[in-house]
Amino acid sequence: MQLAVATHSRLLVVELDDSWRVSNLRTLARGHHYGLGLRHADGWLVSKHNDRELTYYHLDGDQQAGFVEAIGGKAHYIHQIACVESGIYVTNTGYNSIVFRSHDGALWDEHFIDHQRTDVNHINSVFPCGDRLLVLLHNRGVRPSQVLLMQHTPGRGFVRERTMSVAHMGCHNIFYDGRTLYYNASSVGKFLGVSAERNRIVHDLAFPGHAKGLSVTQRHLIVGYSDHTTRDLRHTSRGHLAVLDRADLSVKATVDLNVHGPVGNVNEIRCLSEPELGQAGPQGLLETMPVVALRSSEGKAARARRLISKLKVRLRIEGP
């Protein structure tokens, strides 16, 4: 299996053998990387390195950079991107919006969540399925994360159809297979699966670190997890992958990415050797999705302790 992995310090191509051991690990580019999109129709891996440009890498051959293009519009603190046939969905986190940008850059549809134009909801993940999409609101770790079901008509914009809640704070990544809604509860190091029909958690896996990054193939889920550390140290932390069997979510293997030294926090994962199902789903998948409405698993006292601890860390880093 071959994977593209974006971390706080580099963009990697990781090759795993049949026993899930690292057989090759290459750095395509250095620096902070997050959003990764796949344009299989014309053979490109799209990487978001900064808030001004998208870099396109050849999926075949040496996978070197082919060209760079401007993102366009007003963009800031972009997290996840997702490529579809007609364009790219962008979580424009700094402006609290979800954006659709056509591949030729001529079309820019933008929806500001609750009319806010600053980073209030910390939008970080998107899962498009035809004319509908799921958008994950992190909510900056001060209240439970939420999932929005939205409709999008290119050129006419977005309509918010439903707001759903999950049972954790500070979440990343979102994937729905028609039965189960999956997400990373990053701050508590968990990967969750929620039965949409029964509206309850049916999978709850814990990892030793900050869970972020998700790739989905026909038979496997690949979850990223990294050392818990302060933001200024995430470029030198250790990153790992967990390979899960989609049949029962058993852990088939854990992968240490730090064979040549710490790779930094894992932000995003995309499969290059098999169809990547975690980037986007088929038309119609979300049309009959049941309402998911889970209560926060964190009590008031625990939440207060966490927020006080978070404030102490921030004061320690930034000073009074």
Side-chain angles (χ1 to χ4, degrees):
M1 179 179 284
Q2 188 180 70
L3 301 166
V5 180
T7 81
H8 261 60
S9 66
R10 63 198 73 186
L11 173 60
L12 300 169
V13 172
V14 182
E15 296 182 17
L16 305 176
D17 64 19
D18 292 340
S19 299
W20 305 108
R21 294 172 298 201
V22 176
S23 59
N24 192 18
L25 187 150
R26 295 182 290 122
T27 298
L28 285 186
R30 295 192 177 274
H32 183 281
H33 288 77
Y34 204 130
L36 293 177
L38 296 173
R39 279 176 50 173
H40 284 296
D42 47 9
W44 297 108
L45 165 67
V46 186
S47 173
K48 197 284 297 186
H49 171 52
N50 55 49
D51 289 334
R52 298 177 301 278
E53 298 169 332
L54 296 170
T55 304
Y56 290 71
Y57 296 86
H58 296 282
L59 284 173
D60 300 323
D62 57 11
Q63 293 170 326
Q64 296 300 306
F67 65 97
V68 176
E69 69 176 6
I71 292 175
K74 293 182 68 175
H76 177 55
Y77 204 27
I78 289 171
H79 281 55
Q80 193 174 65
I81 63 175
C83 293
V84 295
E85 184 177 350
S86 55
I88 300 177
Y89 286 94
V90 176
T91 56
N92 196 8
T93 310
Y95 287 105
N96 214 59
S97 67
I98 182 71
V99 166
F100 174 79
R101 173 193 178 279
S102 61
H103 287 309
D104 61 8
L107 180 61
W108 179 277
D109 289 336
E110 186 165 18
H111 180 88
F112 296 93
I113 306 302
D114 295 331
H115 308 289
Q116 300 290 327
R117 298 187 178 227
T118 58
D119 185 9
V120 175
N121 298 106
H122 203 71
I123 306 160
N124 63 34
S125 305
V126 59
F127 182 64
C129 301
D131 63 350
R132 284 177 169 81
L133 62 152
L134 297 177
V135 178
L136 181 64
L137 308 183
H138 176 284
N139 286 331
R140 300 185 64 83
V142 297
R143 55 194 174 99
S145 296
Q146 296 169 296
V147 179
L148 306 183
L149 174 61
M150 307 187 76
Q151 187 174 33
H152 174 231
T153 304
R156 298 180 62 183
F158 296 86
V159 176
R160 181 168 166 175
E161 295 187 335
R162 186 187 304 165
T163 301
M164 297 174 280
S165 59
V166 298
H168 296 84
M169 306 272 188
C171 299
H172 294 83
N173 308 105
I174 196 78
F175 171 68
Y176 180 62
D177 64 4
R179 300 180 306 276
T180 307
L181 181 73
Y182 296 96
Y183 64 91
N184 277 316
S186 303
S187 58
V188 293
K190 287 190 173 186
F191 179 66
L192 285 301
V194 178
S195 169
E197 182 178 357
R198 290 180 283 171
N199 194 34
R200 68 179 183 88
I201 294 172
V202 291
H203 301 292
D204 187 336
L205 285 76
F207 298 103
H210 187 266
K212 185 164 63 172
L214 176 64
S215 172
V216 183
T217 69
Q218 190 67 38
R219 296 175 55 194
H220 300 101
L221 296 155
I222 299 94
V223 177
Y225 65 94
S226 313
D227 295 341
H228 275 297
T229 188
T230 54
R231 188 174 300 277
D232 61 324
L233 296 178
R234 290 180 185 174
H235 66 290
T236 57
S237 60
R238 296 172 62 82
H240 301 78
L241 304 177
V243 182
L244 314 179
D245 191 323
R246 282 191 67 182
D248 57 7
L249 255 69
S250 60
V251 179
K252 296 182 69 70
T254 57
V255 179
D256 187 348
L257 297 175
N258 311 284
V259 292
H260 304 307
V263 298
N265 268 40
V266 174
N267 291 323
E268 190 66 280
I269 312 163
R270 295 295 184 213
C271 186
L272 303 179
S273 56
E274 302 176 31
E276 174 58 71
L277 307 179
Q279 174 178 239
Q283 172 73 40
L285 182 67
L286 301 176
E287 289 182 3
T288 58
M289 181 182 179
V291 176
V292 174
L294 299 179
R295 292 184 178 181
S296 174
S297 60
E298 184 178 49
K300 291 183 178 179
R303 180 185 177 191
R305 288 194 296 270
R306 179 179 56 79
L307 292 176
I308 290 171
S309 175
K310 187 175 181 180
L311 177 60
K312 287 180 178 177
V313 170
R314 185 176 297 173
L315 289 174
R316 203 162 51 239
I317 297 170
E318 300 175 357

